[in-house]
């Protein structure tokens, strides 16, 4: 019997699940498939999985009986209560050291909780980001597993062979403890929102600003795809812009300009607010979708709110297009810088040992944000795991300095044209704030103290001798109004 035991079990036979099973089968692993609707199991074995080594199970108990130990079971079911229900159903049939892997789109706090609950029972939990959609699942996804560290040696081979490969390296590595795999997947999706928004703004600038046609813009994106912006999203954008309807019009011009969202970008923005970290570009990308959604209101506003007088562009068009490429590159550097700043804070807050170089390596292939650029991020964190910020890495420092003049010209020109650039401009503002030793928060502190006696501290230094550094100070700003109490030193 033991010869027939499967290497891994998978629950949930929607297309993602089926494709992941077939992928693992191709890589030489025996998979046992289960779906609550057991007719799905028969259908799968008799159709898509026909002629493979895949075996089936018709109950959770049978599934567990058919697995090598420690048992490895992937759940690919709807995020939420379905995951908890299956975990509960599995537990009585599992033994110490068995591993439950949630490959769904779970929110990371759930994964933190599940890891704790299962570890308390002597079981191991892995929450794994799986990216790349149905195609990725079938031929090589980006896999981002995190959870009980003891699980990794038992799933490493299957995961790394099943994942996409770039230059012989798997797009899968161990992320960190408990909820970190799903956290990294969440931020991946947020970054995807940001990358997409930047590309959309570049398109808008070329179309409404420079007045180019879709076919010309497609050529520009195709050219960019051979340089520093080389990535899946730039590539598909060129293809999309070239795609014409039967009447010869670009199909993209016929698509309703209202973007949907499933919420993972929003989760990233919320996580950033919770962590108090300035992940501005992803936030703007989420809000840009919100603005797109209020189409009726925008339509009304477009009739009454005037913009600047449209002036024809008098500069060098090719220079401007090159500037735009640099603006996109610089903004992207900022977006990833912000994403990794968020990781550092999350690592502190949740106690994770995050594998920063590994995270960038996992995103290099198999997923929507895959790009050559991620190889440079991998290099930066391989050289220095403790890098405070990508902008302190020599490669990115040079790159952003080189991009800066063009980036500023693009933001200035788009602003004069009245073409909205929430992502480009928030990236530039972040850069200018980040490189400022002094920001005007001194005035904010004064205002807070004036109206609310919130107190402030002073800069260290001679000129402040009369005021004491490291002490909370309150000033009687008005010389009026009695007794606004403050427990601190009153000047
Ligand atoms: C998550 O993992 C980290 C690192 O092991 C640990 O410090 C933290 O307590 C864990 N969280 C929970 C809720 O168990
Ligand atoms: C602020 O100054 C005025 C005028 O000197 C004084 O009457 C008042 O008590 C002061 N308030 C506080 C909170 O010190
Ligand atoms: C829980 C479970 O296994 N459900 C899946 C069974 O298969 C269908 C698709 O065929 C999925 O939609 C279910 O999620």
């Amino acid at each position: 019997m033991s010869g027939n035991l499967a290497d891994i079990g998978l629950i949930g036979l929607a297309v993602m699940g089926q494709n992941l099973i077939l992928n693992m089968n191709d890589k030489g692993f025996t998979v046992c498939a289960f779906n609550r609707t057991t007719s799905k199991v028969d259908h799968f074995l008799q159709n898509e999985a026909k002629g493979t080594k895949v075996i089936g199970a018709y109950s959770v108990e049978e599934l567990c009986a058919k697995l090598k130990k420690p048992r490895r079971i992937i759940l690919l079911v709807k995020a939420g209560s379905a995951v908890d229900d299956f975990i509960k159903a599995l537990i009585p049939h599992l033994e110490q050291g068995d591993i439950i892997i949630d490959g769904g789109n779970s929110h990371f706090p759930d994964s933190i909780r599940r890891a704790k609950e299962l570890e308390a029972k002597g079981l191991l939990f892995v929450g794994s980001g799986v990216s790349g959609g149905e195609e990725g699942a079938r031929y090589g996804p980006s896999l981002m597993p995190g959870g009980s560290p003891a699980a990794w040696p038992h799933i490493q081979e299957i995961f790394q062979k099943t994942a996409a490969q770039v230059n012989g390296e798997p797009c899968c590595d161990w992320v960190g403890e408990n909820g970190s795999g799903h956290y990294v997947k969440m931020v991946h999706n947020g970054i995807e929102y940001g990358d997409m928004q930047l590309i959309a703004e570049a398109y808008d600038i070329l179309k409404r600003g420079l007045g180019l046609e879709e076919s010309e813009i497609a050529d520009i994106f195709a050219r960019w795809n051979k340089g520093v912006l080389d990535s899946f999203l730039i590539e598909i954008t060129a293809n999309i812009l070239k795609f014409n309807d039967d009447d010869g019009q670009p199909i993209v011009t016929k698509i309703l300009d209202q973007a949907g969202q499933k919420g993972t970008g929003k989760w990233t923005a919320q996580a950033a607010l919770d962590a108090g970290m300035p992940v501005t570009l992803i936030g703007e990308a989420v809000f840009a979708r919100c603005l797109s959604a209020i189409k009726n209101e925008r339509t009304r506003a477009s009739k009454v709110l005037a913009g600047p007088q449209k002036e024809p562009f008098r500069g060098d068009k090719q220079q401007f297009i090159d500037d735009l490429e640099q603006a996109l590159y610089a903004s992207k550097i900022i977006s990833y810088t912000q994403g990794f700043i968020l990781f550092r804070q999350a690592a502190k807050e949740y106690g994770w040992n995050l594998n920063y170089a590994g995270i960038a390596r996992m995103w290099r292939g198999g997923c929507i944000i895959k790009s050559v650029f991620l190889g440079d991020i991998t290099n930066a964190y391989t050289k220095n795991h403790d890098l405070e910020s990508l902008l302190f890495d020599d490669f990115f420092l040079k790159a952003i300095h080189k991009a800066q003049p063009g980036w500023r010209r693009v933001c200035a020109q788009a602003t004069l044209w009245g073409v909205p650039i929430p992502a480009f401009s928030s990236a530039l503002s972040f850069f200018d704030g980040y490189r400022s030793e002094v920001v005007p928060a001194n005035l904010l502190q004064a205002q807070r103290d004036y109206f609310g006696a919130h107190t402030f501290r002073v800069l260290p230094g001679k000129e402040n001798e009369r005021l004491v550094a490291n002490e909370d100070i309150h000033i009687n700003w008005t010389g009026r109004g009695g007794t606004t109490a403050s427990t601190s030193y009153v000047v």
Side-chain angles (χ1 to χ4, degrees):
M1 171 72 197
S2 85
N4 295 329
L5 292 180
D7 297 303
I8 192 162
L10 191 144
I11 297 178
L13 294 180
V15 183
M16 282 291 285
Q18 294 189 13
N19 283 357
L20 199 60
I21 290 173
L22 295 173
N23 182 358
M24 291 190 287
N25 176 78
D26 288 351
K27 304 291 155 51
F29 301 102
T30 306
V31 190
C32 184
F34 174 73
N35 198 85
R36 188 160 34 203
T37 312
T38 52
S39 60
K40 298 280 179 203
V41 179
D42 287 323
H43 189 270
F44 179 56
L45 292 177
Q46 285 154 21
N47 292 278
E48 295 85 354
K50 201 174 171 153
T52 67
K53 292 190 299 175
V54 178
I55 60 175
Y58 298 88
S59 68
V60 164
E61 185 175 4
E62 187 189 352
L63 172 71
C64 293
K66 284 185 164 176
L67 298 178
K68 287 181 194 160
K69 294 175 190 175
R71 296 179 180 85
R72 294 166 283 207
I73 300 165
I74 302 184
L75 298 172
L76 269 182
V77 300
K78 202 168 179 306
S81 59
V83 176
D84 289 312
D85 293 347
F86 270 107
I87 289 176
K88 214 161 133 198
L90 282 166
I91 286 174
H93 310 291
L94 297 180
E95 294 164 68
Q96 296 275 310
D98 285 349
I99 304 161
I100 296 180
I101 303 157
D102 175 15
N105 250 332
S106 295
H107 200 191
F108 75 92
D110 289 332
S111 301
I112 294 179
R113 169 178 58 79
R114 288 168 185 147
K116 193 173 173 188
E117 289 168 2
L118 287 173
E119 283 171 5
K121 293 184 159 62
L123 300 170
L124 303 177
F125 175 81
V126 174
S128 181
V130 177
S131 181
E134 296 170 357
E135 183 84 4
R138 181 65 186 87
Y139 299 106
S142 164
L143 296 174
M144 305 156 230
S148 316
W152 180 232
H154 300 290
I155 65 167
Q156 178 170 7
E157 192 194 356
I158 300 184
F159 268 57
Q160 292 194 327
K161 283 192 174 158
T162 300
Q165 313 286 318
V166 174
N167 303 333
E169 284 184 333
C171 298
C172 172
D173 202 347
W174 184 248
V175 173
E177 297 86 349
N178 46 53
S180 62
H182 279 127
Y183 194 93
V184 165
K185 173 58 170 36
M186 172 188 79
V187 174
H188 163 283
N189 287 26
I191 284 180
E192 177 182 316
Y193 273 52
D195 281 359
M196 291 168 73
Q197 176 63 25
L198 286 169
I199 290 172
E201 290 176 19
Y203 162 61
D204 205 16
I205 289 171
L206 291 168
K207 187 176 167 73
R208 284 204 279 168
L210 274 196
L212 301 184
E213 303 282 341
E214 269 69 14
S215 60
E216 298 172 287
I217 302 174
D219 291 341
I220 291 169
F221 276 100
R223 204 163 58 244
W224 286 351
N225 200 40
K226 298 192 172 85
V228 289
L229 295 176
D230 180 346
S231 61
F232 173 73
L233 280 169
I234 295 282
E235 177 191 334
I236 68 163
T237 302
N239 295 340
I240 288 166
L241 293 170
K242 266 193 292 224
F243 199 103
N244 289 342
D245 200 2
D246 292 340
D247 60 5
Q249 293 302 308
I251 199 105
V252 73
T253 59
K254 301 185 176 185
I255 296 177
L256 180 65
D257 55 330
Q258 268 181 318
Q261 50 178 314
K262 281 191 184 164
T264 39
K266 185 174 87 179
W267 283 352
T268 309
Q270 286 170 332
L273 288 172
D274 289 341
M277 286 294 123
V279 186
T280 56
L281 195 142
I282 294 174
E284 288 293 350
V286 175
F287 286 133
R289 292 195 188 192
C290 301
L291 182 66
S292 82
I294 50 172
K295 171 90 174 166
N296 290 341
E297 209 168 320
R298 282 189 291 115
T299 302
R300 269 195 62 202
S302 72
K303 310 254 188 307
V304 294
L305 297 178
Q309 200 74 40
K310 180 92 175 79
E311 302 268 345
F313 183 67
R314 292 202 180 78
D316 177 342
K317 275 195 187 180
Q318 189 51 52
Q319 173 68 49
F320 184 79
I321 292 166
D322 293 344
D323 284 352
L324 187 57
E325 181 183 17
Q326 291 299 311
L328 191 40
Y329 185 45
S331 303
K332 201 169 145 146
I333 293 173
I334 295 297
S335 183
Y336 286 70
T337 297
Q338 294 180 340
F340 278 78
I341 285 176
L342 183 57
F343 283 148
R344 292 193 77 82
Q345 183 59 25
K348 258 188 232 153
E349 215 162 294
Y350 299 108
W352 297 331
N353 298 291
L354 288 183
N355 174 4
Y356 300 113
I359 291 168
R361 201 179 304 114
M362 284 175 249
W363 294 348
R364 280 189 67 192
C367 62
I368 306 297
I369 63 170
K370 65 182 172 190
S371 69
V372 170
F373 171 75
L374 280 159
D376 300 320
I377 300 183
T378 307
N379 293 341
Y381 282 105
T382 303
K383 265 189 287 171
N384 179 8
H385 172 78
D386 299 319
L387 194 62
E388 253 180 296
S389 147
L390 267 186
L391 296 177
F392 294 147
D393 173 72
D394 278 347
F395 177 87
F396 288 106
L397 192 74
K398 283 202 190 87
I400 208 141
H401 280 151
K402 177 167 172 250
Q404 186 170 179
W407 188 16
R408 290 190 189 281
R409 284 192 290 269
V410 165
C411 288
Q413 184 60 60
T415 305
L416 290 174
W417 274 327
V419 175
I421 45 165
F424 278 119
S425 61
S426 69
L428 185 54
S429 283
F430 173 86
F431 177 71
D432 284 333
Y434 193 69
R435 60 177 194 80
S436 295
E437 188 183 351
V438 177
V439 294
N442 52 347
L443 179 57
L444 302 181
Q445 287 299 84
Q447 290 167 331
R448 295 177 69 236
D449 188 57
Y450 189 113
F451 64 66
H454 291 296
T455 75
F456 57 84
R457 289 185 172 195
V458 295
L459 291 162
K462 266 211 306 286
E463 63 275 28
N464 294 326
E465 253 162 17
R466 204 175 58 81
L467 306 169
V468 188
N470 295 322
E471 199 155 319
D472 297 318
I473 294 166
H474 170 61
I475 282 184
N476 189 343
W477 295 92
T478 57
R480 278 187 281 109
T483 54
T484 319
S486 164
T487 50
S488 47
Y489 176 38
V490 178
V491 177

